[in-house]
């Protein structure tokens, strides 16, 4: 077995967004060095990195320099090209492995991988061109959701087809590219499960986190989730199965749809920490970022025990419409924790930060989180 990567050694992170920032914060706290490769000159992770390499991911000279300077490579963002991974020297483990990264970058590959491993999914069909869309509608039924195969997140590249006369409109709306068509699921709710798998195949799984979306973007997450025992158990088993199927070394988040008949279906997966897991920073014995660090460094995994109920509310750029939000609304609440990502341009829909509130119950925490957020904007 490979030797663990220990404090003093260097974690290489592909991508420089807020997930890389929060990983870098825990890694630096524990004495690791962090090198980040990012395409943005003002990346949120940069202030916590010992060194940032700013370049296009395909720039071979910079990529090699970055890869030569690290002891393990991990990701905070999966939509980076996979070709440069062959420039990583053999002594540097890539965790999760390139096969995980390859499968989860593309919705078609991801669904085919999961279906081949017997993971329950919404009914779906692959739609390479507009010509195949009518047959896909026949197979999947209407309403259905057309989703572009690559590059889509936070509901981007999606169109809900309600009547068969919308096919051309839907195809144009998602950018006329290869896609999947999925059954539109009548949701009882959505939740996510985060699971880590270590180098010797051991697992650490977090209990489900309940997620509410607004405009296709995650809005609020709460834990404990309130998901009944049977669907929760089914989801934890699926999470194990997915991590095993990938022979994962690292951490993965599985987003679930939960239907009125109690069925759980996998919506999508992300081979990295996830927005819904941010509340683990304050609410769990080991945060998802600490867990990612442990898994990719080959250390024993941390406890996923929840220490106190919590809710997380995203802070989008919309809150900045009339100037910087009134942060005193957060700071006056003893169990409210503000996280800002150092992003300069608060565009509507852009994730600028989040707020976690701990409380006696997740219902109480979510009430306070929503109330604080409501009071933030200047009018
Ligand atoms: P995604 O980017 O695929 O996670 O989709 C964003 C959100 O759109 C999901 O969290 C759901 O709220 C909604 N959504 C996506 N696909 C479906 C579906 N097949 N049925 C119902 N709602 C969906």
């Amino acid at each position: 077995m490979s030797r663990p990567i220990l404090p003093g050694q260097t974690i290489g992170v592909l991508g420089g967004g807020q997930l890389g920032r929060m990983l870098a914060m825990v890694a630096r706290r524990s004495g690791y060095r962090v090198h980040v490769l990012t395409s943005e000159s003002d990346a949120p992770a940069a202030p916590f990195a010992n060194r940032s390499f700013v370049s296009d991911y395909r720039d071979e000279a910079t990529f090699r320099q970055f890869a030569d300077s690290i002891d393990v490579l991990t990701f905070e963002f999966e939509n980076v090209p996979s070709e440069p991974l062959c420039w990583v020297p053999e002594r540097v483990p890539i965790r999760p492995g390139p096969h995980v990264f390859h499968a989860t970058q593309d919705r078609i590959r991801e669904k085919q991988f999961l279906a081949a491993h017997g993971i329950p999914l919404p009914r779906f069909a692959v739609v390479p061109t507009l010509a195949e869309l009518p047959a896909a509608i026949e197979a999947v039924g209407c309403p259905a959701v057309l989703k572009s195969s690559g590059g889509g997140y936070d509901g981007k590249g999606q169109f809900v087809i309600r009547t068969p006369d919308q096919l051309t409109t839907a195809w144009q709306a998602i950018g006329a590219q290869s896609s999947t068509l999925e059954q539109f699921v009548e949701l009882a709710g959505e939740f996510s499960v985060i699971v880590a798998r270590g180098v010797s195949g051991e697992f650490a799984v977090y209990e489900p986190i309940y997620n509410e979306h607004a405009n296709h973007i995650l809005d609020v997450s709460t834990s404990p989730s309130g998901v009944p025992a049977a669907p929760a158990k089914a989801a934890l088993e699926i999470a194990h199965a997915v991590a095993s199927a990938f022979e994962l070394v690292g951490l993965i988040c599985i987003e679930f749809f939960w239907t009125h008949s109690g069925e759980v279906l996998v919506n999508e997966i992300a081979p990295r920490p996830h927005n819904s897991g941010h509340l683990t920073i304050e609410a769990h014995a080991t945060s998802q970022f600490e867990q990612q660090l442990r898994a990719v460094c080959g250390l024993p995994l941390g406890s996923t025990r929840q220490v106190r109920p919590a809710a997380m509310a995203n802070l989008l750029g919309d809150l900045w419409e009339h100037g910087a939000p009134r942060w005193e609304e957060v700071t006056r609440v003893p169990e409210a924790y503000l996280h800002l990502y150092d992003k300069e341009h608060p565009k509507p829909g852009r994730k600028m930060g989040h707020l976690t509130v701990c409380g006696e119950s997740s219902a109480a925490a979510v009430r306070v989180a929503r109330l604080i957020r409501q009071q933030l904007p200047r009018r």
Side-chain angles (χ1 to χ4, degrees):
M1 201 177 55
S2 57
R3 285 224 298 260
I5 291 148
L6 294 171
Q9 291 189 278
T10 305
I11 318 287
V13 185
L14 267 190
Q18 61 266 24
L19 302 175
R21 174 184 174 96
M22 289 182 269
L23 170 63
M25 286 165 95
V26 297
R28 293 295 302 276
R29 185 190 67 196
S30 298
Y32 285 93
R33 295 179 58 77
V34 176
H35 290 183
V36 166
L37 178 63
T38 167
S39 56
E40 297 171 275
S41 57
D42 56 350
F48 292 94
N50 296 84
R51 194 164 167 198
S52 300
F53 297 76
V54 183
S55 106
D56 184 284
Y57 297 107
R58 286 196 175 84
D59 180 84
E60 183 168 350
T62 313
F63 197 101
R64 282 189 187 278
Q65 216 190 350
F66 162 71
D68 282 340
S69 75
I70 61 180
D71 295 299
V72 60
L73 177 64
T74 192
F75 308 91
E76 67 99 46
F77 175 61
E78 60 276 25
N79 288 322
V80 292
S82 52
E83 304 84 341
L85 295 180
C86 67
W87 300 327
V88 177
E90 216 165 285
R91 71 170 179 85
V92 176
I94 303 175
R95 293 174 177 162
H99 63 289
V100 182
F101 179 59
H102 181 73
T104 54
Q105 269 188 336
D106 175 279
R107 216 184 278 279
I108 298 175
R109 287 199 294 266
E110 179 176 304
K111 285 198 184 292
Q112 288 176 333
F113 178 89
L114 295 172
H117 287 85
I119 304 298
L121 301 170
R123 220 168 32 249
F124 78 98
V126 174
V127 189
T129 66
L130 176 59
E132 278 94 350
L133 191 49
I137 283 280
E138 271 298 297
V140 169
C142 221
V145 191
L146 187 66
K147 298 183 177 180
S148 62
S149 61
Y153 60 93
D154 289 343
K156 295 193 177 86
Q158 295 193 12
F159 191 96
V160 179
I161 301 176
R162 299 199 180 272
T163 55
D165 63 344
Q166 291 178 299
L167 302 195
T168 308
T169 314
W171 185 254
Q172 299 303 342
I174 63 142
Q177 53 182 308
S178 72
S179 56
T180 57
L181 184 75
E182 290 179 15
Q183 155 202 12
F184 185 85
V185 180
E186 292 298 339
L187 299 171
E190 294 183 67
F191 63 88
S192 50
V193 171
I194 295 168
V195 59
R197 185 172 174 274
V199 286
S200 6
E202 74 279 21
F203 290 94
V205 62
Y206 293 82
E207 288 293 321
I209 297 167
Y210 192 77
N211 298 324
E212 292 171 71
H213 295 80
N215 302 319
H216 292 278
I217 302 175
L218 182 66
D219 185 40
V220 167
S221 294
T222 46
S223 183
S225 64
V227 174
K233 180 166 176 277
L236 297 186
E237 283 168 11
I238 293 168
H240 270 86
V242 172
S244 298
F246 277 125
E247 295 186 19
L248 179 79
V249 177
L251 180 134
I252 196 163
C253 175
I254 302 162
E255 291 183 70
F256 287 93
F257 291 152
W258 164 39
T259 71
H260 292 286
S261 57
E263 210 181 358
V264 284
L265 303 169
V266 172
N267 171 26
E268 59 182 6
I269 57 184
R272 49 161 171 81
H274 188 258
N275 193 170
S276 60
H278 291 353
L279 54 72
T280 60
I281 296 174
E282 286 87 8
H284 290 69
T286 308
S287 77
Q288 61 169 350
F289 300 102
E290 172 98 42
Q291 197 73 292
Q292 178 189 22
L293 179 72
R294 285 171 167 270
V296 305
C297 289
L299 304 178
L301 299 177
S303 160
T304 56
R305 181 173 56 87
Q306 183 155 8
V307 180
R308 45 193 181 158
M312 185 274 330
N314 267 335
L315 304 177
L316 302 184
D318 312 57
L319 294 172
W320 274 250
E321 191 185 350
H322 302 295
R326 295 157 11 109
W327 299 127
E328 57 279 14
E329 296 299 333
V330 188
T331 52
R332 70 185 172 76
V333 181
E335 284 199 278
Y337 304 91
L338 179 64
H339 298 251
L340 291 174
Y341 308 147
D342 247 343
K343 294 183 183 176
E344 253 181 61
H345 306 291
K347 289 188 273 235
R350 187 172 195 209
K351 291 176 182 169
M352 301 296 290
H354 71 268
L355 165 70
T356 297
V357 175
C358 295
E360 288 302 310
S361 66
S362 53
V366 78
R367 225 176 7 253
V368 175
R370 285 187 190 282
L371 200 65
I372 294 175
R373 192 175 57 180
Q374 239 173 41
Q375 290 163 345
L376 286 177
R378 293 187 191 279
R379 320 231 176 234

